[in-house]
Amino acid sequence: MKNILTSMLVVLACSAVIAAAAAPTKESEPAHRGKQIYDQWCVICHAAAPRMPGTASLEAKYGGSLPAALEDRTDLAPAFIKYFVRNGVLIMPSFRKTEITDADLELLVDYLKAKDQ
Ligand code: HEC
């Protein structure tokens, strides 16, 4: 009985150590909230990967003169991003404010490092 209790304690102690190691440290930067929104709604079409409808379409549109993946662009103006998110284009759907709130859209714009122009 004592042996069983001891091994249970050892297992518990090990789990605690593993859990502590897996937990993010306090010093680490929290992920940008805008990236979470991007990953939830946009990356499925705009990832920098083959066979992505958004990335492939923008590759064709700009012919390589601008990066095809949105996250690599530095030229995106806030109003430009907001227009496409609220109106859609080709197969890109428009996103309702119940899906992406105005506040979330600001975070998304901030994440894409858009600059006022
Ligand atoms: C179902 C796929 C799909 C999803 C999801 C999607 N897009 Fe798109 N998006 C596209 C396609 C396709 C185009 C390219 C249209 C073209 O070739 O002109 C596009 C174009 C754009 C453009 C215009 C870029 C340019 O230079 O013309 C912006 C900005 C954009 N998307 C932002 C977003 C954001 C932000 C999200 C997430 C909220 C998103 N898209 C979600 C498919 C998608």
Side-chain angles (χ1 to χ4, degrees), residues 41-42 45-46 57-58 61-62 70 73 80 85 92 100:
W41 298 105
C42 320
C45 289
H46 285 288
S57 197
L58 293 176
K61 179 178 179 183
Y62 294 116
L70 284 184
R73 297 268 293 269
F80 184 85
V85 170
M92 175 174 162
I100 299 177

Side-chain angles (χ1 to χ4, degrees), residues 7-87:
S7 20
M8 281 174 72
L9 277 176
V10 168
V11 167
L12 275 178
C14 287
S15 324
V17 168
I18 291 165
T25 58
K26 280 195 180 129
E27 297 86 48
S28 70
E29 280 288 305
H32 195 297
R33 175 85 181 96
K35 174 160 171 54
Q36 294 169 10
I37 297 160
Y38 185 85
D39 285 348
Q40 183 178 354
W41 298 105
C42 320
V43 81
I44 192 168
C45 289
H46 285 288
R51 293 185 296 282
M52 290 286 148
T55 307
S57 197
L58 293 176
E59 176 99 55
K61 179 178 179 183
Y62 294 116
S65 62
L66 285 174
L70 284 184
E71 284 173 294
D72 296 336
R73 297 268 293 269
T74 54
D75 64 302
L76 295 168
F80 184 85
I81 297 171
K82 289 175 189 173
Y83 175 84
F84 283 104
V85 170
R86 291 292 179 227
N87 296 283

